[in-house]
Amino acid sequence: MSKFIKKIKIKKPDDWHVHLRDNEILNKVIKYTGKFYKRAVIMPNLDNPITNCSKSIAYRDKILKSMHVNYKFQPLMTCYLTNFTTPKELEIGFSKKIFIAAKFYPNFCTTNSKTGIKTINDITSVLACMESIGMPLLIHGEEINQNIDIYDREAKFIETTLDPLRKKFPKLKIVLEHITTKESVEYIKKNDFNYLSATITPHHLMLNRNDMFSGGIQPYLYCLPILKKNIHQTALRKAISNGDKHFFLGSDTAPHLHKNKINILGCAGIFNAPSSLLSYVKVFEEMNALKHLESFCSENGPKFYNMPINKETITIVKKPYKIIKKIKVGRDAIIPFLSGETLNWSLEK
């Protein structure tokens, strides 16, 4: 029984969905990802998005220079798709390992997505190229339309965009990122995991939409896709608890300054890098599924991306770990997920 497990040794995990931002915020948050993860897929939606190879190389260099000297860390870069992205740019970037994947943001779906794609039919030649070279497409899967209820946008996206896309490009490798619904779980499981897989965040596993309004509105639990009903949270928890290869770790850690979270128009995003891995352990323990922790955290992602599984290992021990309350950034601060709370698991030093 998991309640008797006091120590877990697993191959060092990777985080397949990370926002690091830029400049001072990058410098402050990067070490928390480096502490827990060997590699991370870096999202390209900066204020000035990463839309070509030269921008990607410059951003990767900046990330490596910002990383704590004690951590051996590999940033895996992605290209922000626009209507002006060319197949040639992606071919060069993918063949030279400048890009590991390309990211499809529906127009205005989340932070810094105002230059996203209005309709996926606008990039048919790009998708055909990606399918032919085996380059993964990472998708923020929400149908952005004011006539669609915000809680239904993910399910609608599968119906109107993803399913037709899969039929048109059946060998295109796709990651449906940060899934939040039972519809997503059911749809993904019906497909070959080599061509369609999904990441799941710790906050969507731990919380549902009631939590966002518990005792008053909780702006630090506002993220996109938004937290859903308990029935969907339960579906996500079941999905990870049986070792299914379709699902792997993607924290979607997304730092914002306090002033931008507590605002008339508060930003969407949960900064969970200091707590994400230990939060996953908590959920797996609650599901009596610790035997599947390593596959979710350390194996399924590399297998999908055709990358080697890390040889380095980490040990997680049953010992209280207090999450840092805040990270100072100039005169402001970033407040992490589970700020000041104590989790039951720690990394062994």
Side-chain angles (χ1 to χ4, degrees):
M1 294 289 287
S2 63
K3 66 182 178 180
F4 298 119
I5 295 174
K6 302 296 183 186
K7 184 179 284 193
I8 308 164
K9 186 177 180 180
I10 62 172
K11 297 175 185 75
K12 190 159 188 182
D14 305 302
D15 189 338
W16 299 94
H17 189 142
V18 168
H19 297 269
L20 294 174
R21 311 305 186 202
D22 205 354
N23 302 322
E24 192 173 12
I25 292 179
L26 167 64
N27 292 332
K28 292 288 186 177
V29 305
I30 181 67
K31 66 180 180 182
Y32 296 100
T33 294
K35 178 179 180 177
F36 294 101
Y37 302 103
K38 180 75 173 179
R39 300 173 290 205
V41 171
I42 312 300
M43 291 298 109
N45 61 329
L46 304 183
D47 290 332
N48 182 10
I50 306 303
T51 53
N52 58 47
C53 293
S54 59
K55 284 184 179 181
S56 181
I57 292 167
Y59 187 35
R60 181 174 62 190
D61 290 347
K62 190 181 283 192
I63 290 167
L64 290 170
K65 286 176 184 175
S66 300
M67 179 53 78
H68 192 286
V69 291
N70 290 347
Y71 301 138
K72 294 178 181 177
F73 175 76
Q74 184 183 2
L76 305 172
M77 310 307 290
T78 58
C79 182
Y80 183 111
L81 294 177
T82 73
N83 288 352
F84 305 104
T85 304
T86 64
K88 185 178 179 181
E89 188 75 20
L90 294 184
E91 278 193 77
I92 293 169
F94 190 61
S95 66
K96 295 187 174 182
K97 299 186 177 178
I98 298 167
F99 295 126
I100 189 177
K103 181 67 183 268
F104 165 48
Y105 286 105
N107 197 228
F108 287 106
C109 67
T110 189
T111 303
N112 295 337
S113 60
K114 60 183 179 291
T115 53
I117 307 296
K118 289 184 178 177
T119 169
I120 203 150
N121 292 328
D122 293 342
I123 55 169
T124 298
S125 61
V126 163
L127 298 175
C129 168
M130 291 176 66
E131 183 183 45
S132 69
I133 63 177
M135 184 179 191
L137 175 69
L138 314 183
I139 296 179
H140 180 116
E142 291 190 285
E143 201 69 33
I144 305 306
N145 184 323
Q146 284 301 111
N147 295 321
I148 301 171
D149 190 283
I150 191 168
Y151 291 103
D152 298 332
R153 288 177 181 176
E154 185 171 296
K156 195 69 176 175
F157 181 87
I158 293 171
E159 177 189 333
T160 60
T161 300
L162 182 58
D163 194 50
L165 177 67
R166 294 280 301 117
K167 289 186 169 92
K168 193 169 187 178
F169 300 105
K171 299 295 184 184
L172 177 62
K173 292 176 72 69
I174 295 173
V175 179
L176 191 58
E177 298 196 297
H178 46 52
I179 63 167
T180 64
T181 62
K182 67 181 182 65
E183 288 89 351
S184 289
V185 170
E186 290 164 1
Y187 182 80
I188 286 161
K189 287 173 76 171
K190 289 190 294 187
N191 287 267
D192 184 336
F193 64 82
N194 291 298
Y195 297 107
L196 181 65
S197 285
T199 57
I200 304 179
T201 77
H203 41 282
H204 287 107
L205 289 166
M206 293 176 72
L207 305 169
N208 59 63
R209 70 187 191 183
N210 283 350
D211 295 293
M212 199 165 59
F213 304 104
S214 176
I217 194 165
Q218 303 281 336
Y220 270 97
L221 299 184
Y222 170 53
C223 58
L224 290 171
I226 201 162
L227 295 171
K228 303 297 195 299
K229 286 181 179 180
N230 175 260
I231 189 174
H232 299 294
Q233 179 193 6
T234 299
L236 297 179
R237 290 168 73 94
K238 286 182 178 176
I240 66 161
S241 64
N242 61 9
D244 194 310
K245 293 180 181 179
H246 287 89
F247 307 103
F248 46 87
L249 190 159
S251 70
D252 193 19
T253 181
H256 288 288
L257 294 176
H258 180 70
K259 67 179 181 181
N260 294 329
K261 286 294 290 181
I262 311 300
N263 204 323
I264 293 171
L265 293 173
C267 291
I270 291 176
F271 173 60
N272 60 34
S275 58
S276 59
L277 180 60
L278 302 177
S279 296
Y280 285 118
V281 178
K282 172 181 165 66
V283 174
F284 274 85
E285 182 181 33
E286 289 170 352
M287 299 299 291
N288 197 25
L290 285 172
K291 64 181 179 181
H292 297 304
L293 178 72
E294 185 174 54
S295 60
F296 178 81
C297 295
S298 312
E299 296 175 351
N300 296 349
K303 287 175 182 175
F304 176 85
Y305 280 93
N306 299 319
M307 295 182 68
I309 294 168
N310 296 324
K311 293 180 180 178
E312 182 182 345
T313 61
I314 61 167
T315 302
I316 304 160
V317 293
K318 199 74 175 283
K319 181 181 175 183
Y321 180 83
K322 189 171 183 179
I323 306 301
I324 189 172
K325 282 192 173 182
K326 64 181 179 181
I327 299 158
K328 291 185 178 179
V329 182
R331 293 184 178 180
D332 210 324
I334 296 169
I335 311 297
F337 181 54
L338 306 179
S339 167
E341 293 188 29
T342 299
L343 295 172
N344 292 332
W345 294 88
S346 303
L347 274 190
E348 185 175 71
K349 293 181 181 178

